[in-house]
Amino acid sequence: MINEWQRQSYLSALGIENYMPRMCLPFAAQSRACLLPDLAPGQEISTSILSESQDAALDLNPISVQKSSSISASEILTDIIPVKKMTVTVNAETILQQLEIKKSPELNPFSLSIWRPVTGFLIIDARNSSLALPTELLLKNILLSYLPSQELDLREEVMRWPMVENRFVARTEDDARNELQTWLSVENELRPIQKLWLMGNNAARYWLEDNSPISESYWQQRSVVTHSSTQTLVAWVTPSLIELLQQPELKARFWATVT
């Protein structure tokens, strides 16, 4: 047992003013009253005085500790702290399965075509340059009929994702959503958007709220998710220019939707 004066010195050094134990362990020695030594005025407590005080406490309160070989330490601790039983066997296979479940699939790089034909009008189209289709010519014909009396700016801007190349960082769909939603939010702050067309799968999937197939959202006006809380954007979701060229019968429905 530690001397009470020494215990108080330790607690004082730790900055603890009051201390109360939460429980009493089985077979622990009983607590003893702290005997204050008789000190003359100006006399300091020394090691010998503390030792004499501790010996006196032992003489006044002799303790007999019962020993038992039939009760183990694990049985005593079981009564104090409930042991949580593991219901699932942990091995290398289960750990690898958990890692595979948590790991998000990596997304292949892609690019988008962006047009700003007039002020406040933004068009984002899914891009596939390997097909070499006249998408720019089709969009020009659409806009000449859609905005016949306005001067159009038909310069195409290509936005590639990921925007910053880093081969050491995994790129997932969540990463694409965060980057593109942030980009659209900044774009709206710099050049407020009054009309927005999202054309094709990659042009729409990262800005819509749900994860439903994009084809189910075609020909509808949908709310767009951005990181800005000042304005809510609404966009027409339509097939891409490539889809319109590959399926000419969709052009009539496209025109009826946007007009």
Side-chain angles (χ1 to χ4, degrees):
M1 284 186 59
I2 191 172
N3 183 278
E4 179 64 19
W5 285 100
Q6 293 175 346
R7 190 173 75 90
Q8 292 296 337
S9 298
Y10 294 151
L11 293 176
S12 177
L14 293 172
I16 301 174
E17 296 182 358
N18 298 314
Y19 171 78
M20 177 63 68
R22 296 179 59 186
M23 63 183 67
C24 181
L25 295 175
F27 303 103
Q30 297 180 3
S31 300
R32 301 183 181 90
C34 177
L35 298 180
L36 299 176
D38 296 330
L39 301 177
Q43 183 181 6
E44 296 181 357
I45 299 177
S46 63
T47 306
S48 60
I49 295 176
L50 289 176
S51 178
E52 293 174 359
S53 175
Q54 184 178 15
D55 294 340
L58 291 173
D59 294 337
L60 289 175
N61 297 310
I63 301 299
S64 60
V65 179
Q66 299 179 355
K67 297 182 179 180
S68 174
S69 59
S70 61
I71 301 178
S72 63
S74 60
E75 293 175 346
I76 296 174
L77 294 176
T78 302
D79 295 336
I80 300 173
I81 304 175
V83 179
K84 295 182 179 180
K85 296 182 179 180
M86 305 217 32
T87 57
V88 180
T89 304
V90 178
N91 51 36
E93 183 179 357
T94 57
I95 294 175
L96 291 175
Q97 289 177 354
Q98 292 178 2
L99 291 176
E100 290 297 328
I101 293 174
K102 294 180 181 179
K103 184 179 179 181
S104 300
E106 189 168 349
L107 190 64
N108 293 327
F110 61 89
S111 59
L112 300 171
S113 295
I114 299 173
W115 289 276
R116 300 179 180 87
V118 294
T119 302
F121 188 8
L122 181 65
I123 300 173
I124 304 176
D125 180 44
R127 177 181 173 86
N128 189 345
S129 57
S130 62
L131 296 179
L133 295 174
T135 53
E136 296 87 349
L137 181 59
L138 174 60
L139 181 64
K140 179 181 178 180
N141 293 335
I142 292 174
L143 292 177
L144 288 175
S145 300
Y146 186 73
L147 303 169
S149 60
Q150 299 191 39
E151 184 177 353
L152 303 177
D153 183 357
L154 298 178
R155 290 175 295 177
E156 179 185 10
E157 176 184 339
V158 178
M159 181 171 65
R160 292 177 174 82
W161 186 90
M163 299 179 185
V164 178
E165 292 292 342
N166 188 347
R167 62 188 181 90
F168 297 103
V169 178
R171 296 292 183 172
T172 65
E173 185 170 339
D174 291 336
D175 296 326
R177 286 181 181 275
N178 290 331
E179 288 189 34
L180 294 177
Q181 289 174 11
T182 301
W183 171 83
L184 187 60
S185 176
V186 174
E187 179 73 19
N188 187 41
E189 291 291 336
L190 297 177
R191 290 171 282 201
I193 301 171
Q194 282 81 42
K195 187 182 296 294
L196 176 62
W197 289 358
L198 299 178
M199 306 179 68
N201 191 343
N202 283 342
R205 62 184 296 189
Y206 305 110
W207 285 291
L208 300 185
E209 294 178 342
D210 53 25
N211 294 323
S212 59
I214 300 302
S215 58
E216 297 180 2
S217 300
Y218 282 172
W219 322 114
Q220 300 179 28
Q221 275 192 319
R222 298 290 304 275
S223 297
V224 174
V225 180
T226 66
H227 293 309
S228 174
S229 58
T230 58
Q231 182 179 1
T232 301
L233 293 179
V234 177
W236 278 110
V237 181
T238 69
S240 65
L241 293 172
I242 293 175
E243 292 176 277
L244 295 179
L245 288 171
Q246 292 176 335
Q247 305 176 56
E249 67 275 8
L250 296 178
K251 294 180 182 179
R253 187 170 183 181
F254 175 86
W255 183 253
T257 298
V258 297
T259 57

XYZ file of all heavy atoms in Angstrom, residues 57-97:
304
model
N -0.258 3.465 11.295
C -1.532 3.095 10.691
C -1.646 1.596 10.534
O -2.713 1.003 10.726
C -1.683 3.787 9.340
N -0.540 0.935 10.218
C -0.559 -0.517 10.086
C -0.800 -1.200 11.420
O -1.478 -2.215 11.512
C 0.761 -0.998 9.479
C 0.997 -0.627 8.003
C 2.407 -1.021 7.593
C -0.026 -1.292 7.113
N -0.219 -0.640 12.494
C -0.414 -1.229 13.822
C -1.844 -1.055 14.304
O -2.404 -1.925 14.971
C 0.549 -0.587 14.822
C 2.003 -0.939 14.493
O 2.195 -1.970 13.818
O 2.903 -0.167 14.891
N -2.463 0.116 13.954
C -3.816 0.371 14.446
C -4.845 -0.451 13.684
O -5.856 -0.868 14.243
C -4.153 1.871 14.274
C -3.400 2.815 15.235
C -3.710 4.254 14.884
C -3.769 2.516 16.701
N -4.625 -0.687 12.417
C -5.612 -1.377 11.592
C -4.962 -2.553 10.884
O -4.633 -2.475 9.705
C -6.215 -0.427 10.537
C -6.964 0.711 11.195
O -7.795 0.490 12.065
N -6.626 1.936 10.791
N -4.687 -3.615 11.589
C -4.093 -4.768 10.917
C -5.075 -5.364 9.924
O -6.272 -5.451 10.190
C -3.783 -5.732 12.074
C -4.746 -5.351 13.143
C -4.953 -3.871 13.037
N -4.549 -5.750 8.794
C -5.386 -6.278 7.722
C -5.012 -7.722 7.468
O -3.839 -8.066 7.372
C -5.194 -5.468 6.430
C -5.545 -3.991 6.683
C -6.051 -6.023 5.315
C -6.967 -3.781 7.120
N -5.994 -8.533 7.419
C -5.774 -9.934 7.052
C -6.442 -10.165 5.713
O -7.653 -10.031 5.589
C -6.365 -10.872 8.118
O -7.747 -10.652 8.250
N -5.645 -10.483 4.701
C -6.151 -10.687 3.348
C -6.351 -12.164 3.122
O -5.428 -12.956 3.299
C -5.165 -10.112 2.305
C -5.686 -10.337 0.911
C -4.916 -8.638 2.569
N -7.583 -12.508 2.774
C -7.893 -13.901 2.513
C -7.384 -14.299 1.143
O -7.519 -13.564 0.189
C -9.405 -14.131 2.594
C -9.999 -13.828 3.956
C -11.493 -14.041 3.965
O -12.078 -14.323 2.940
N -12.086 -13.914 5.142
N -6.758 -15.450 1.108
C -6.276 -15.968 -0.160
C -7.165 -17.105 -0.604
O -7.562 -17.948 0.194
C -4.837 -16.464 -0.021
C -3.855 -15.349 0.336
C -2.443 -15.894 0.409
C -1.463 -14.770 0.735
N -0.085 -15.268 0.823
N -7.473 -17.138 -1.851
C -8.322 -18.192 -2.380
C -7.749 -18.636 -3.709
O -7.487 -17.821 -4.583
C -9.764 -17.686 -2.569
O -10.547 -18.660 -3.194
N -7.546 -19.904 -3.822
C -7.019 -20.446 -5.071
C -8.116 -20.916 -6.005
O -7.861 -21.289 -7.127
C -6.081 -21.621 -4.763
O -6.804 -22.629 -4.044
N -9.370 -20.886 -5.510
C -10.472 -21.379 -6.327
C -11.046 -20.331 -7.258
O -11.770 -20.652 -8.176
C -11.595 -21.937 -5.426
O -12.091 -20.898 -4.589
N -10.773 -19.028 -7.011
C -11.308 -17.939 -7.830
C -10.159 -17.338 -8.618
O -9.151 -16.929 -8.041
C -11.989 -16.863 -6.964
C -13.125 -17.480 -6.151
C -12.501 -15.725 -7.831
C -13.812 -16.507 -5.242
N -10.316 -17.291 -9.920
C -9.273 -16.747 -10.785
C -9.520 -15.266 -11.060
O -10.615 -14.749 -10.831
C -9.222 -17.513 -12.105
O -10.441 -17.358 -12.801
N -8.482 -14.624 -11.562
C -8.601 -13.190 -11.865
C -9.611 -12.947 -12.969
O -10.320 -11.942 -12.974
C -7.232 -12.639 -12.263
N -9.705 -13.857 -13.952
C -10.656 -13.665 -15.055
C -12.091 -13.696 -14.561
O -12.946 -12.963 -15.060
C -10.447 -14.745 -16.119
O -10.651 -16.028 -15.563
N -12.376 -14.545 -13.542
C -13.729 -14.597 -12.987
C -14.070 -13.310 -12.255
O -15.202 -12.816 -12.324
C -13.850 -15.795 -12.042
C -13.747 -17.145 -12.735
C -13.742 -18.292 -11.745
O -13.553 -18.025 -10.545
O -13.928 -19.425 -12.177
N -13.084 -12.743 -11.558
C -13.328 -11.483 -10.862
C -13.603 -10.361 -11.858
O -14.551 -9.582 -11.719
C -12.123 -11.132 -9.964
C -11.962 -12.188 -8.874
C -12.289 -9.752 -9.348
C -10.713 -12.010 -8.039
N -12.785 -10.274 -12.930
C -12.968 -9.221 -13.917
C -14.249 -9.391 -14.709
O -14.853 -8.422 -15.155
C -11.768 -9.196 -14.872
C -10.440 -8.788 -14.234
C -9.319 -8.902 -15.257
C -10.516 -7.372 -13.698
N -14.708 -10.633 -14.886
C -15.962 -10.876 -15.603
C -17.138 -10.269 -14.872
O -18.087 -9.754 -15.476
C -16.184 -12.385 -15.791
O -15.070 -12.918 -16.503
C -17.457 -12.649 -16.575
N -17.094 -10.296 -13.525
C -18.180 -9.712 -12.738
C -18.159 -8.191 -12.811
O -19.198 -7.542 -12.656
C -18.069 -10.153 -11.274
C -18.272 -11.660 -11.129
O -18.919 -12.242 -12.024
O -17.754 -12.233 -10.157
N -16.972 -7.610 -13.036
C -16.871 -6.150 -13.033
C -17.121 -5.576 -14.418
O -17.900 -4.653 -14.609
C -15.471 -5.726 -12.532
C -15.263 -6.247 -11.111
C -15.310 -4.217 -12.566
C -13.864 -6.031 -10.593
N -16.462 -6.121 -15.420
C -16.569 -5.613 -16.797
C -17.140 -6.709 -17.678
O -16.536 -7.778 -17.792
C -15.196 -5.183 -17.326
C -14.576 -4.133 -16.387
C -15.301 -4.645 -18.745
C -13.171 -3.742 -16.773
N -18.301 -6.483 -18.277
C -18.858 -7.513 -19.163
C -17.986 -7.727 -20.382
O -17.510 -6.779 -21.006
C -20.232 -6.936 -19.555
C -20.103 -5.465 -19.355
C -19.144 -5.286 -18.201
N -17.765 -8.969 -20.715
C -16.935 -9.318 -21.861
C -17.814 -9.410 -23.103
O -18.834 -10.104 -23.097
C -16.206 -10.659 -21.609
C -15.360 -11.031 -22.818
C -15.349 -10.559 -20.356
N -17.407 -8.712 -24.145
C -18.141 -8.747 -25.406
C -17.714 -9.969 -26.200
O -16.537 -10.121 -26.531
C -17.887 -7.470 -26.227
C -18.425 -6.207 -25.561
C -18.184 -5.005 -26.442
C -18.739 -3.744 -25.789
N -18.504 -2.554 -26.632
N -18.679 -10.809 -26.479
C -18.377 -12.015 -27.246
C -18.397 -11.703 -28.732
O -19.283 -11.016 -29.217
C -19.402 -13.115 -26.925
C -19.346 -13.576 -25.476
C -20.342 -14.690 -25.237
C -20.278 -15.178 -23.784
N -21.243 -16.270 -23.535
N -17.430 -12.204 -29.452
C -17.339 -11.984 -30.890
C -18.216 -12.993 -31.606
O -18.098 -14.183 -31.396
C -15.884 -12.093 -31.348
C -14.988 -11.169 -30.575
S -13.682 -10.403 -31.489
C -14.192 -10.167 -33.089
N -19.136 -12.452 -32.394
C -20.065 -13.320 -33.119
C -19.562 -13.662 -34.516
O -20.091 -14.551 -35.155
C -21.430 -12.637 -33.226
O -21.270 -11.378 -33.874
C -22.029 -12.417 -31.840
N -18.552 -12.890 -35.016
C -18.028 -13.117 -36.356
C -16.559 -13.506 -36.247
O -15.780 -12.849 -35.550
C -18.166 -11.852 -37.235
C -17.608 -12.112 -38.623
C -19.628 -11.434 -37.310
N -16.213 -14.548 -36.920
C -14.822 -14.987 -36.913
C -13.984 -14.033 -37.751
O -14.321 -13.738 -38.891
C -14.705 -16.411 -37.472
O -15.548 -17.273 -36.720
C -13.269 -16.900 -37.385
N -12.925 -13.526 -37.154
C -12.049 -12.575 -37.842
C -10.847 -13.334 -38.377
O -10.108 -13.968 -37.625
C -11.581 -11.457 -36.887
C -10.629 -10.510 -37.616
C -12.778 -10.708 -36.332
N -10.680 -13.301 -39.673
C -9.512 -13.892 -40.308
C -9.148 -13.053 -41.525
O -9.771 -12.031 -41.813
C -9.775 -15.360 -40.688
C -11.070 -15.514 -41.485
O -11.407 -14.645 -42.296
N -11.796 -16.595 -41.253
N -8.114 -13.488 -42.221
C -7.632 -12.720 -43.377
C -8.691 -12.604 -44.469
O -8.824 -11.566 -45.123
C -6.367 -13.377 -43.931
N -9.491 -13.641 -44.642
C -10.509 -13.617 -45.705
C -11.585 -12.581 -45.428
O -11.985 -11.820 -46.317
C -11.128 -15.009 -45.835
C -12.146 -15.104 -46.974
C -12.737 -16.498 -47.091
O -12.301 -17.393 -46.318
O -13.616 -16.691 -47.950
N -12.081 -12.532 -44.171
C -13.124 -11.566 -43.836
C -12.610 -10.134 -43.927
O -13.333 -9.233 -44.347
C -13.659 -11.835 -42.429
O -12.556 -11.780 -41.484
C -14.308 -13.196 -42.348
N -11.344 -9.917 -43.540
C -10.779 -8.571 -43.634
C -10.681 -8.130 -45.085
O -11.025 -6.996 -45.447
C -9.395 -8.532 -42.956
C -9.542 -8.766 -41.445
C -8.703 -7.192 -43.217
C -8.226 -8.862 -40.726
N -10.245 -9.024 -45.970
C -10.148 -8.686 -47.392
C -11.521 -8.420 -47.995
O -11.675 -7.540 -48.845
C -9.439 -9.820 -48.147
C -7.945 -9.993 -47.847
C -7.400 -11.212 -48.560
C -7.167 -8.745 -48.259
N -12.534 -9.178 -47.554
C -13.884 -8.950 -48.054
C -14.382 -7.564 -47.658
O -15.020 -6.865 -48.454
C -14.831 -10.026 -47.517
C -14.606 -11.404 -48.135
C -15.508 -12.456 -47.533
O -16.238 -12.188 -46.564
N -15.474 -13.662 -48.072
